[in-house]
């Protein structure tokens, strides 16, 4: 049999007494696309960090081309041809595509940066990979899918033989994912080995040859993707069956119970936005990325102001000047970009959850540690957030569990209107279902929910009504029963 290009044997990883990887062994063969699947906190990113030399295993061995290592350091991993693409980009936004591809090793002649050569080499690379992109464009002006593609081009230009991708498609729409996958297939044709992580299981079946499932830090399965179906894969990951059904709210929405009314609102980002939100309603916002949905939410949450139009919230004119004012009035937002807007990385989980309610808890000017603790512990339990202890620093939680902590933080404020911007991005299949059930429960309790989602099935499955945005304004509105995936996409691209 062929020698694995990469192999780990009995990898153990312990963080301050907590074992997060238990004797994991895995063989990856040259040229395969291998998926790592598992719930939030299963240990996927940890295993990857060991392979890139970002962290060392507590015990175990790593083999590259059959050669044994106790641990790798990042430089060594790079020299061995291992590259990693994280969900969060490492690109420099104001540099061009070509400059980013060669960043840190600018081609120079006599100490002068040779940008001509850099541009020529970047063009060659794009051609070879079948990518049409302006190598002189600044990365910040590119769509998110193309930013991801630049990350890959960078890895290819480093002659990487093994490219590890940790949730690369999480911020991409279906269409952008298709563009991204074209490049991944091209890499495979060239013989590159790929390790791919995604919580969207249809992607695993579409692009991967084999799949390994981690559950609570243990390997439970490795097999060909053609030898397993979705429901078996899910039960291997979650240890139980997950229904594919969306929970339905009680549906008792009165047209008279308008809690929020937005009329002809405009600012520099969006124009002429009008819609109503009712008590107990889940209102979906659909549209393509860049349609202006997040910009509308930023107005409601007091991040941006509006320059014309009117908003009435709970019968009163509403013109929030800050997010604090929005929260105090009763509108909360769970942001799509949790890393930059959602969390304070260096604080413990408890403090992060309590951040938005600290003032309310402090009845006589100072904080009650016990109450804070209790509140946080309740939501950790309710949302099933995987922590070793509530004082664990939030940045050490897995990606999906950080997202849940942000959710807990907003729920703790007891807002009347909750805005969920891409609520299940990076969330595993089981936890997704829990978040959907939570949303329906909140709606049944009389809260109003606005959900921005680019996941079409989620948008259609969860919303009582869907507002479709395109070109920075509202293009249409659809009632439950009226909408389909095609119709939403059709209206969105008008
Ligand atoms: N520095 C650290 N200190 C303590 N615990 C940590 C640290 N880093 C990771 N962990 C823990 O290791 C476990 C595995 O995390 P990991 O990030 O590998 O999960 P994951 O499978 O990538 O999940 P997700 O799908 O949510 O990204 C988690 O329970 C996490 O809290
Ligand atoms: Mg992860």
């Amino acid at each position: 049999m062929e020698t694995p290009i990469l192999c780990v044997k009995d990898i153990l990883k312990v963080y301050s007494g907590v074992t997060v990887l238990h004797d994991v062994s895995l063989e990856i063969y040259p040229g395969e696309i291998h998926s790592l699947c598992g719930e939030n906190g299963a240990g996927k990113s940890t295993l990857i960090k060991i392979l890139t030399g970002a962290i060392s295993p507590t015990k175990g061995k790593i083999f590259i081309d059959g050669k044994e290592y106790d641990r790798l350091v990042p430089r060594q991993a790079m020299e061995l041809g291992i590259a990693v693409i994280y969900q969060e980009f490492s690109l420099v936004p104001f540099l061009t595509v070509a400059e980013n591809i060669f960043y840190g090793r600018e081609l120079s002649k006599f100490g002068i940066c040779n940008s001509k050569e850099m541009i020529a080499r970047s063009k060659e690379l794009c051609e070879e990979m079948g990518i049409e992109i302006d190598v002189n464009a600044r990365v910040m002006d590119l769509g998110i899918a193309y930013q991801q593609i630049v990350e890959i081009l960078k890895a290819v230009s480093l002659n990487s033989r093994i490219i590890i991708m940790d949730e690369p498609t999480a911020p991409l729409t279906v269409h952008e994912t298709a563009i991204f996958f074209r490049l991944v297939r091209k890499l495979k044709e060239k013989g590159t080995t790929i390790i791919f992580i995604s919580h969207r299981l249809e992607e695993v079946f579409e692009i991967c040859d084999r799949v390994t499932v981690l559950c609570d830090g243990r390997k439970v399965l490795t097999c060909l993707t053609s030898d397993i179906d979705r429901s078996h894969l899910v039960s291997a990951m979650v240890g139980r069956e997950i229904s594919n059904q969306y929970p339905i709210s009680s549906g008792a929405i009165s047209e008279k119970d308008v809690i929020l009314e937005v009329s002809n609102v405009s600012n520099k980002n969006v124009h002429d936005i009008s819609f109503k939100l009712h008590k107990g309603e889940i209102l979906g916002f659909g549209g393509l990325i860049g349609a202006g949905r997040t910009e509308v939410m930023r107005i409601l949450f007091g991040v941006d102001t509006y320059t014309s139009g009117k908003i009435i919230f709970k019968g009163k004119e509403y013109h929030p000047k800050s997010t604090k004012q929005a929260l105090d009035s009763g509108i909360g937002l769970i942001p799509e970009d949790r890393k930059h807007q959602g969390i304070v990385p260096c604080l413990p989980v408890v403090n992060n959850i309590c951040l938005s309610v600290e003032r309310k808890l402090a009845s006589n000017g100072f904080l009650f540690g016990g109450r804070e603790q209790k509140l946080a512990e309740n939501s950790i339990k309710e949302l099933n957030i995987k922590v070793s202890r509530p004082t664990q620093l939030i940045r050490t939680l897995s990606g999906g569990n950080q997202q849940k902590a942000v959710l807990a933080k907003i729920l703790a404020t007891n807002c009347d209107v909750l805005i969920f911007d891409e609520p299940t991005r990076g969330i595993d299949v089981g936890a997704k279902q829990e978040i959907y059930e939570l949303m329906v429960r909140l709606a049944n309790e009389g809260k109003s929910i606005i959900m921005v989602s680019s996941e079409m099935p989620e948008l259609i499955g969860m919303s009582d009504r869907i507002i479709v945005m395109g070109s920075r304004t509202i293009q249409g509105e659809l009632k439950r029963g009226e909408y389909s995936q095609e119709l939403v996409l059709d209206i969105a691209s008008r």
Side-chain angles (χ1 to χ4, degrees):
M1 206 167 168
E2 213 175 355
T3 318
I5 187 165
L6 187 157
C7 164
V8 295
K9 219 166 165 34
D10 302 324
I11 293 283
L12 177 80
K13 180 67 190 173
V14 181
Y15 277 118
S16 28
V18 182
T19 306
V20 299
L21 289 174
H22 298 261
D23 301 330
V24 173
S25 299
L26 178 65
E27 294 177 340
I28 308 280
Y29 290 97
E32 74 166 322
I33 306 185
H34 196 113
S35 173
L36 275 185
C37 283
E39 287 184 289
N40 296 130
K44 304 178 293 294
S45 298
T46 306
L47 183 57
I48 277 178
K49 284 182 197 149
I50 289 173
L51 297 177
T52 60
I55 58 174
S56 319
T58 308
K59 243 164 83 190
K61 301 265 182 231
I62 305 163
F63 298 83
I64 313 284
D65 300 317
K67 189 162 183 276
E68 182 181 319
Y69 302 85
D70 287 327
R71 54 164 302 185
L72 296 171
V73 294
R75 169 136 215 121
Q76 190 183 19
M78 200 178 87
E79 281 164 7
L80 287 165
I82 304 175
V84 63
I85 289 160
Y86 292 108
Q87 191 186 325
E88 279 97 17
F89 302 115
S90 61
L91 301 174
V92 187
F94 49 84
L95 293 184
T96 66
V97 170
E99 285 162 346
N100 266 288
I101 292 176
F102 289 100
Y103 188 73
R105 56 196 168 103
E106 285 85 356
L107 306 168
S108 61
K109 234 185 216 162
F110 315 117
I112 300 164
C113 179
N114 189 348
S115 56
K116 242 196 197 146
E117 162 112 31
M118 215 151 76
I119 291 168
R121 294 253 303 261
S122 301
K123 279 189 180 152
E124 261 172 47
L125 189 64
C126 292
E127 208 158 291
E128 185 192 334
M129 299 307 298
I131 292 293
E132 277 177 41
I133 193 171
D134 174 8
V135 297
N136 294 308
R138 282 193 303 182
V139 156
M140 62 202 244
D141 297 327
L142 298 178
I144 205 157
Y146 279 94
Q147 297 191 9
Q148 197 69 279
I149 283 169
V150 176
E151 291 268 8
I152 293 206
L153 291 175
K154 195 169 150 181
V156 175
S157 80
L158 282 164
N159 290 324
S160 308
R161 300 179 300 144
I162 304 167
I163 301 184
I164 305 177
M165 306 177 178
D166 197 351
E167 298 191 47
T169 54
L172 307 189
T173 59
V174 177
H175 174 69
E176 292 171 320
T177 302
I179 299 175
F180 181 75
F181 279 179
R182 269 215 305 271
L183 179 58
V184 174
R185 290 202 177 92
K186 195 94 190 178
L187 284 173
K188 183 181 156 78
E189 272 170 36
K190 277 178 43 124
T192 311
T193 307
I194 293 164
I195 301 179
F196 177 82
I197 298 181
S198 170
H199 285 294
R200 298 195 191 127
L201 301 183
E202 57 286 0
E203 295 180 354
V204 172
F205 285 105
E206 181 181 339
I207 197 118
C208 299
D209 303 305
R210 290 199 303 155
V211 52
T212 289
V213 176
L214 293 179
C215 186
D216 281 332
R218 288 173 214 273
K219 183 175 101 167
V220 293
L221 173 100
T222 294
C223 69
L224 290 168
T225 42
S226 54
D227 283 349
I228 193 169
D229 61 15
R230 187 191 156 94
S231 66
H232 282 102
L233 181 60
V234 170
S235 50
M237 284 167 57
V238 189
R240 66 195 148 99
E241 302 247 345
I242 297 282
S243 83
N244 234 344
Q245 297 275 303
Y246 289 92
I248 304 267
S249 66
S250 64
I253 298 157
S254 158
E255 290 288 325
K256 289 196 205 88
D257 256 345
V258 175
I259 184 162
L260 179 77
E261 180 163 9
V262 177
S263 313
N264 311 103
V265 161
S266 301
N267 70 1
K268 63 179 193 312
N269 299 319
V270 289
H271 58 271
D272 203 21
I273 304 296
S274 301
F275 67 91
K276 287 179 186 160
L277 175 68
H278 303 93
K279 196 165 185 286
E281 182 175 42
I282 300 179
L283 178 62
F285 266 71
L288 306 175
I289 283 176
R293 294 172 299 168
T294 295
E295 285 73 11
V296 171
M297 303 312 143
R298 287 168 64 96
I299 294 176
L300 295 178
F301 194 47
V303 182
D304 296 337
T305 54
Y306 57 101
T307 43
S308 65
K310 195 169 170 183
I311 303 179
I312 303 287
F313 176 46
K314 291 194 280 192
K316 279 197 268 185
E317 193 145 341
Y318 176 71
H319 215 133
K321 301 277 187 300
S322 64
T323 58
K324 188 182 156 297
Q325 211 177 328
L327 280 168
D328 288 345
S329 316
I331 296 189
L333 176 134
I334 293 111
E336 64 172 334
D337 180 358
R338 62 177 170 260
K339 191 177 170 201
H340 296 109
Q341 301 160 8
I343 61 167
V344 184
C346 54
L347 282 182
V349 185
V350 200
N351 302 56
N352 266 284
I353 293 178
C354 296
L355 225 46
S356 50
V357 278
E358 278 186 355
R359 282 167 47 85
K360 286 184 193 162
L361 286 174
S363 50
N364 53 3
F366 47 93
L367 289 173
F368 289 102
R371 256 157 97 183
E372 200 177 19
Q373 183 97 8
K374 185 131 192 80
L375 177 93
E377 273 167 13
N378 281 345
S379 35
I380 287 170
K381 213 182 292 155
E382 187 179 27
L383 288 170
N384 204 0
I385 303 174
K386 205 177 161 208
V387 292
S388 49
R389 52 189 185 282
T391 51
Q392 188 176 348
L393 296 188
I394 197 161
R395 69 175 160 76
T396 67
L397 290 192
S398 80
N401 284 297
Q402 288 182 17
Q403 173 78 344
K404 288 195 199 173
V406 175
L407 213 77
K409 176 178 114 178
I410 304 299
L411 292 180
T413 60
N414 204 18
C415 283
D416 308 294
V417 171
L418 292 157
I419 304 169
F420 290 75
D421 198 349
E422 305 288 355
T424 60
R425 186 176 281 175
I427 297 277
D428 72 53
V429 273
K432 246 183 198 173
Q433 200 65 25
E434 287 164 19
I435 289 178
Y436 296 147
E437 275 156 19
L438 177 79
M439 286 167 79
V440 165
R441 201 173 73 226
L442 290 166
N444 288 345
E445 284 166 7
K447 306 265 184 220
S448 306
I449 292 174
I450 295 178
M451 179 184 72
V452 175
S453 174
S454 301
E455 300 269 337
M456 219 34 101
E458 167 176 294
L459 187 72
I460 287 174
M462 289 299 295
S463 310
D464 294 314
R465 214 156 35 100
I466 296 178
I467 287 177
V468 185
M469 285 191 70
S471 311
R472 311 201 158 257
T473 191
I474 291 175
Q475 301 288 358
E477 185 184 314
L478 300 164
K479 287 198 180 61
R480 197 183 267 285
E482 272 177 8
Y483 37 74
S484 64
Q485 194 148 328
E486 292 73 28
L487 193 54
V488 173
L489 279 175
D490 186 46
I491 298 174
S493 47
R494 269 181 201 162

